[in-house]
């Protein structure tokens, strides 16, 4: 990609945070992960809702998520994966750009298994407020770049 950043709704994702790309999709590490190894995959084209994706974008997005999930689950010795999409503001989507959350899971990572969805909602709301939050606890660009470089090696 010739640009320095990938668009993610109103945000800019540095190339150093991106670890996987196709012609139609890109995957990047999360600024505020719910669990370690919480990553996102989204279409390169800025698309607000799943229904607005083309058939090719839909296929590419899910094939990318499948490949990334399988590799990260194995690499981190996880036993399961949570794939999540919040499609529209009433569904909890705070970044108006389709994205799939991929979160490798291990036994006992949440007391109640479905608590992960409440945690995802909380992190999305925190991300939306991040620019106004003087005390935000975002990960550093260096930390995210290091994680992305590690995953890039797995996927190339």
């Amino acid at each position: 990609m010739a640009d320095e950043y990938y668009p993610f709704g109103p945000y800019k994702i540095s190339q150093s945070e991106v670890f996987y790309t196709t012609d139609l999709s890109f995957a990047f590490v999360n600024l505020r992960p719910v669990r370690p190894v919480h990553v996102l995959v989204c279409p390169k084209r800025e698309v607000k809702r799943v229904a607005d994706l083309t058939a090719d974008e839909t296929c590419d997005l899910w094939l990318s998520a499948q490949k990334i999930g399988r590799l990260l689950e194995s690499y981190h010795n996880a036993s399961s994966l949570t794939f999540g999409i919040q499609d529209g503001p009433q569904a909890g989507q705070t970044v108006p750009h389709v994205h799939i959350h991929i979160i490798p899971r291990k036994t006992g990572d949440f007391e109640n298994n479905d608590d992960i969805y409440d945690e995802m909602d909380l992190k999305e709301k925190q991300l939306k407020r991040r620019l106004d939050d003087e005390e935000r606890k975002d990960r550093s660009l260096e930390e995210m770049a290091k994680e992305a470089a590690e995953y890039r090696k797995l996927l190339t």
Side-chain angles (χ1 to χ4, degrees):
M1 180 168 194
D3 295 336
E4 190 174 335
Y5 296 97
Y6 289 81
F8 181 51
Y11 304 104
K12 294 180 177 178
I13 304 300
S14 168
Q15 286 188 25
S16 66
E17 299 168 67
V18 174
F19 62 89
Y20 182 76
T21 62
T22 67
D23 289 342
L24 299 174
S25 302
F26 69 102
F28 57 102
V29 297
N30 201 323
L31 181 68
R32 288 193 170 162
V34 170
R35 304 290 310 156
V37 198
H38 176 182
V39 301
L40 304 172
V41 61
C42 61
K44 286 183 177 177
R45 184 171 68 94
E46 289 187 69
V47 179
K48 292 181 181 179
R49 301 290 307 277
V50 170
D52 299 325
L53 292 167
T54 66
D56 287 342
E57 286 170 328
T58 301
C59 279
D60 189 78
L61 190 67
W62 280 106
L63 288 172
S64 295
Q66 179 187 46
K67 178 177 183 174
I68 292 163
R70 180 176 39 244
L71 286 169
L72 292 180
E73 180 179 357
S74 174
Y75 183 69
H76 289 284
N77 297 311
S79 57
S80 300
L81 295 166
T82 293
F83 292 95
I85 294 181
Q86 295 149 312
D87 189 30
Q90 286 69 45
Q93 181 187 33
T94 57
V95 178
H97 191 144
V98 171
H99 55 286
I100 301 173
H101 298 261
I102 305 172
I103 307 168
R105 304 289 303 277
K106 294 182 179 184
T107 301
D109 57 1
F110 282 90
E111 185 175 338
N112 296 306
N113 203 31
D114 285 348
D115 286 348
I116 192 167
Y117 302 109
D118 292 333
E119 188 67 18
M120 283 173 58
D121 187 48
L122 175 65
K123 294 296 183 178
E124 286 276 322
K125 287 176 182 167
Q126 289 174 345
L127 178 61
K128 186 174 176 99
R129 291 190 306 263
R130 80 181 187 128
L131 297 176
D132 300 327
D133 184 357
E134 295 296 322
E135 307 238 352
R136 70 182 196 228
K137 293 181 173 66
D138 298 342
R139 298 192 310 155
S140 70
L141 183 58
E142 293 79 21
E143 182 182 2
M144 292 187 299
K146 182 179 176 184
E147 182 182 357
E150 181 180 346
Y151 299 153
R152 215 174 284 123
K153 290 177 189 173
L154 288 176
L155 291 155
T156 54

